[in-house]
Amino acid sequence: MAKKEALRELQSRLAERMQAVRTEQPGVSWLAVDCGGQGMLFPLRQAGEIFDIGAVLPVPHTQPWMVGVANLRGGLYAVVDLAGFLGLRTRPLEGPAREQARLVAMNASLGMNCALLVDRLEGLRHAADMRREDDEAGARPAFAPARWTDAGGRVWQEIGLAELAGQQQFLGIAG
C-alpha cells in the first residue's frame, strides 16, 4: 500500500509541476554571437541549426555581403555575412578567423532558406541576466529592437531575425 501511495504522490507532484510549466511565462533567451567585434543576440525561437562554414559557392552579381550558397542538410541556403551587411566588416573572413566562424540558419518557421555567417558563437543569454539599455526612439532599424548589457558590462545588440528577413535591403541581394 505504501508503494501505491508513494506512486500517487509522485504522479500528483508531476501533474502539478507540468501544469505550472504550462502557465509560467517563458523567459526571453537568445543565441549570443560575435559579428565584426560586436555582440549580437538572436532570439532562440527564430534561430535554427548551427553549421560549420564548409563549402560556400559564390554567386556572381550579388552584394558584397552575400557570401554565396551552401548545401546544409540537403537544402540550398543563401549565406549572408551579417557583419558585412551591417557595415561592420568590409573584407571577407580569412585564416584563423574563418575557422571560428559559423553559419546560423534562420528557423524554418520564417520561411527563408538563409544562414547568417557569424564570427564566433558566444553561448546562450537570458533576459533575466541582462539589463536593457535606454535608447532613443527610432534610432535603430526595426530588426534591432533593443540593446542589452550583461553582468560583465558587454553590450549586446538584439537582432530580430524575422524582421531582418522581411527588410527590403536584406532581400535585395542583386549587386
Side-chain angles (χ1 to χ4, degrees):
M1 281 278 240
K3 287 184 181 179
K4 284 186 179 180
E5 285 181 36
L7 182 58
R8 281 190 196 122
E9 206 173 299
L10 175 63
Q11 288 175 329
S12 175
R13 284 195 314 259
L14 282 174
E16 288 173 12
R17 182 64 189 133
M18 288 175 67
Q19 182 60 35
V21 166
R22 284 189 202 115
T23 59
E24 285 177 0
Q25 286 286 354
V28 177
S29 296
W30 301 282
L31 173 64
V33 300
D34 185 278
C35 289
Q38 301 292 310
M40 305 282 172
L41 301 171
F42 300 158
L44 282 181
R45 292 183 180 197
Q46 296 177 7
E49 281 190 77
I50 299 167
F51 299 92
D52 287 331
I53 292 182
V56 177
L57 300 173
V59 177
H61 310 295
T62 59
Q63 296 288 343
W65 43 263
M66 173 66 181
V67 180
V69 293
N71 180 345
L72 304 177
R73 292 205 191 273
L76 189 62
Y77 283 73
V79 176
V80 172
D81 179 353
L82 184 59
F85 174 77
L86 297 173
L88 302 172
R89 175 179 26 250
T90 56
R91 301 178 59 200
L93 280 177
E94 295 175 347
R98 187 172 168 89
E99 291 172 18
Q100 287 186 336
R102 296 290 180 264
L103 299 177
V104 178
M106 290 187 177
N107 191 295
S109 66
L110 300 180
M112 180 175 281
N113 282 8
C114 181
L116 301 174
L117 173 67
V118 298
D119 295 7
R120 179 173 61 256
L121 298 176
E122 298 284 346
L124 298 177
R125 299 292 186 275
H126 307 283
D129 303 327
M130 312 266 281
R131 181 177 46 84
R132 187 177 177 140
E133 294 288 311
D134 292 331
D135 59 335
E136 300 171 27
R140 286 188 294 279
F143 65 82
R147 291 173 65 96
W148 299 80
T149 303
D150 64 19
R154 183 164 185 194
V155 176
W156 298 86
Q157 176 63 59
E158 182 179 353
I159 301 292
L161 299 180
E163 293 80 9
L164 179 65
Q167 200 220 23
Q168 278 305 114
Q169 183 183 358
F170 186 79
L171 295 171
I173 63 169

